[in-house]
Amino acid sequence: MRSYRVGTSTFYRLMAEHDGDAAAALAALPGIASAAGVPRYTTCSEERAAGELASGQRAGAVPVFIGQPEYPAALADLADAPPMLWAIGDPALASRPCIALVGARNASSIGRRMARTLAAGLGGADRVVVSGLARGIDAEAHAAALPTGTIAVVAGGVDVIYPRENADLTAQIAKHGLILSEMPVGMQPQARHFPRRNRIISGLSRAVVVVEAAAKSGSLITARDALDQGRDVMAVPGHPFDARASGCNLLIRDGAPLVRGVDDILAALGPTRPEPPLAADGHRPAPRPARAAAGASRNMRPPPRLNPASPASPVDEATIRDRILSLLGTVPLAEDQLLRDLALPGPSVAEELLALEMDGAVTRQPGGLLARSA
């Protein structure tokens, strides 16, 4: 997976052709590359592999390989399962029943509250909440599920903080939850990494619940991955005039169960029981006590060291005006709730609200309610 042009499919094909002998597969790669028109091909060196393992150890991360008991059983069943994952936190969380909550980065106040409510409810029902550690819906879901169990699947290295505003949340997940990535330690996230990250989010999960998403969004890519993997897809409905709800409404139109609360999710899924992961011989071992496994993993790993993303990473410098518009939707929202969500000085918010009302971008309704103009 670290050699040039060797992806997941090529990895498994080469391993199958060489009876699981990684050394033989590596030795055959230069000849295969030459036949494909790639001259002077060199494979990933032992020194480079050792360097990545050392970097992971310094970051407090542990490698988890497919076939090991710690590897998530749900993920191992996929045809394109990552051969290796880097993990910071408690790998035992991935053996529990998981539900993914995903949605818009520019989520509305109502969408954020819905994500928090669903995540807390799923945690209370002994489900682990999986998401992608993006701003918006992902961050709200992770934060609400911290006391009960949450897994963050990231597009870059497990030690790279992205986006920057999630630094504290990332540290909390590293301490109390689990961060996973198939990318090398220290790698900055690239646009092409996010779709591959999404298949891991859905692959870990029994179902994917889309809380708020536009018609063309990464959340719908995750939903498509889930359907391809045989997972359930559910969606929270939204107002037809709110573009952030259009993707959810499309999913519901096409047959996805409608989610009003956590009871709808649990009713659609029925009772679940975690399966033990596959052992190296392909058989499922007897389940280990979750508490003992969690304690052992904590004792084995050093404290995590998380690195901020490089200055080139996008930083959210939205104005108060933009933040107000991002939180408001066509469904009316109480002004005091808006002030709590913004966590900004009241006078500055009031000044921008007045300007938005005069511009016709925001309408004020009886009872102290605000809404974004349709």
Side-chain angles (χ1 to χ4, degrees), residues 30-95:
I32 296 172
S34 178
V38 182
R40 297 184 297 277
Y41 183 91
T42 57
T43 60
C44 176
S45 65
E46 290 188 21
E47 291 77 11
R48 181 183 167 191
E52 182 176 337
L53 291 172
S55 296
Q57 186 176 26
R58 288 193 296 270
V62 294
V64 181
F65 298 93
I66 193 166
Q68 289 184 323
E70 294 81 8
Y71 193 93
L75 206 56
D77 290 337
L78 303 183
D80 60 348
M84 170 195 169
L85 294 166
W86 279 107
I88 291 181
D90 183 5
L93 283 173
S95 67

Side-chain angles (χ1 to χ4, degrees), residues 19 67 92 101 154 192 251 274 284 332 341 349 352:
D19 299 321
L101 293 181
V154 297
R192 67 181 184 275
L251 289 172
R284 296 196 186 279
D341 290 339
V349 175
E352 290 299 330

Side-chain angles (χ1 to χ4, degrees), residues 178-199:
L178 176 62
I179 304 175
L180 292 175
S181 177
E182 65 178 329
M183 296 299 169
V185 172
M187 175 170 282
Q188 300 294 325
Q190 307 292 324
R192 67 181 184 275
H193 297 157
F194 288 91
R196 294 191 55 78
R197 180 275 312 264
N198 293 345
R199 89 189 193 286

Side-chain angles (χ1 to χ4, degrees), residues 140-154:
E140 299 291 347
H142 285 307
L146 271 172
T148 52
T150 188
I151 300 174
V153 185
V154 297

